Structures are given as structure tokens and as C-alpha cells.
Amino acid sequence: MIKQLILVLGLCILWNCSAYSQVERSVQLVKAKTINRNLALQFPIDKSFQGSKATFSDAKILIDTLDQSIKLQMTVSAQDDQQHFVATLVFIGDMKYHDFSESYIFDNLKLDRFKVEKDSYTDSQHIAKSIKQSLINDFDELVLFNLAEINSLSFRRPADEIEISKEQLRFIWN
């Protein structure tokens, strides 16, 4: 009788442990649209540099399933008198969890691509160089999304794994 009770208790303990590990696993899908809405709240950003003003706008996340990367794209425009300059910037960086704000941020940004879309300046080298060199650091720690705002049930710690798929990120906590 005691052996049977021990066997039943042992099976119950095994069953509960198995059920607990299934409950502990959590998955949160975050769509590019959600991240882009959050970025839209942080932009446009106006900056001044060496007598010129620039506006950074239209920030959006680029999720590339082929090379499994996440990039940040935005538009910069500068205007001086009748001259106008517009470029598309693409940054690469690290997506990091920020403990204090319980958010994922884009950090350590590096300019990956700088494409001039419109340029009516007689000499735009000065503006392009200033944008490339000095203003990039101003976009470190952009908040991509806050875990609590997306799902109040999600864990308040970095995900154990992040999967990149078409137009969404999948955060997995084990």
C-alpha cells in the first residue's frame, strides 16, 4: 500500500512539474505595425547643427527575414532659404532590453545607408557630413516598444529567444 502511494505521489509530482514548465513558457508576437506606431510617437525630431536645421521623421522598423536583421529607417530633411535637402537613412544597431523602462530599445546605431532623395543645395556636402557624423548619436536608445504596454501578462525581463519572421518579431520566455 505504501509503495503504491509513493508511486502515485511520484507520478503526481512528475505531472505537476511537466504542467508547470508548459505554463512557464510564454510567447509574445510584436508586429512591425506596433513598433512603427510607437516610433511615430517619438518623431518628428528637429535638430540644429552649425546654423542648419534638420527634421527627422517617418521612422519605421525594417524586419529582414533573409539576413535575420532589424534596421531602422527614417527620413531627414533640411531647408535653408530656398534650398531643400531630403535623404533616407537606414541604421543598423542592437535591440536591447532596458530593465528600468521594461522596454526594448534600439541602441548602438550605425549608419548603414544614406540615400539622397532630393537636393537643391548648391553644395550639400556640409549638411550631409554633419548629419552622418554628429546627429546619429542622438538616436541611441530609441524605444521600440514597452512590454507592459503590449501585454500586461508578459515577463518583465529580456526574452530568452527572439525569432524574426515576416513583419513581426516573436519573443519567447522559457
Side-chain angles (χ1 to χ4, degrees):
M1 178 76 147
I2 293 179
K3 285 184 181 180
Q4 290 173 336
L5 184 59
I6 291 173
L7 179 62
V8 169
L9 285 173
L11 289 174
C12 286
I13 289 171
L14 284 174
W15 181 79
N16 283 338
C17 288
S18 174
Y20 177 73
S21 65
Q22 288 176 356
V23 170
E24 187 179 331
R25 182 177 169 90
S26 178
V27 175
Q28 178 68 52
L29 294 177
V30 180
K31 295 188 180 291
K33 288 189 325 188
T34 302
I35 295 171
N36 290 338
R37 275 195 305 265
N38 194 47
L39 286 170
L41 297 174
Q42 299 171 73
F43 285 84
I45 297 173
D46 292 319
K47 297 286 180 183
S48 295
F49 55 96
Q50 299 175 358
S52 298
K53 292 182 181 179
T55 300
F56 295 82
S57 60
D58 304 322
K60 67 179 183 177
I61 197 84
L62 302 175
I63 300 174
D64 190 334
T65 55
L66 291 178
D67 68 2
Q68 292 289 291
S69 69
I70 301 164
K71 296 180 181 180
L72 177 67
Q73 178 180 301
M74 68 180 74
T75 301
V76 61
S77 58
Q79 192 168 343
D80 189 16
D81 295 326
Q82 300 297 340
Q83 302 174 70
H84 198 68
F85 180 85
V86 178
T88 300
L89 311 174
V90 177
F91 297 94
I92 57 172
D94 303 320
M95 187 173 59
K96 287 188 346 185
Y97 182 76
H98 189 263
D99 289 317
F100 182 73
S101 65
E102 297 179 343
S103 300
Y104 272 91
I105 61 172
F106 214 34
D107 199 20
N108 300 320
L109 294 177
K110 292 178 182 68
L111 188 61
D112 185 50
R113 192 172 49 209
F114 187 97
K115 182 180 178 190
V116 177
E117 305 290 342
K118 182 179 178 184
D119 183 4
S120 64
Y121 276 77
T122 52
D123 182 16
S124 62
Q125 272 187 327
H126 171 71
I127 289 175
K129 184 177 179 180
S130 294
I131 290 169
K132 288 178 184 179
Q133 290 180 345
S134 64
L135 297 178
I136 292 169
N137 296 330
D138 291 337
F139 298 111
D140 269 356
E141 298 190 4
L142 280 174
V143 175
L144 298 176
F145 66 93
N146 182 294
L147 289 175
E149 291 173 4
I150 290 177
N151 182 351
S152 62
L153 301 176
S154 66
F155 290 99
R156 299 296 198 271
R157 62 177 172 83
D160 296 311
E161 186 180 346
I162 301 171
E163 294 177 355
I164 296 173
S165 58
K166 186 176 180 180
E167 295 301 313
Q168 68 183 12
L169 304 173
R170 184 176 176 189
F171 293 82
I172 303 168
W173 291 268
N174 295 318

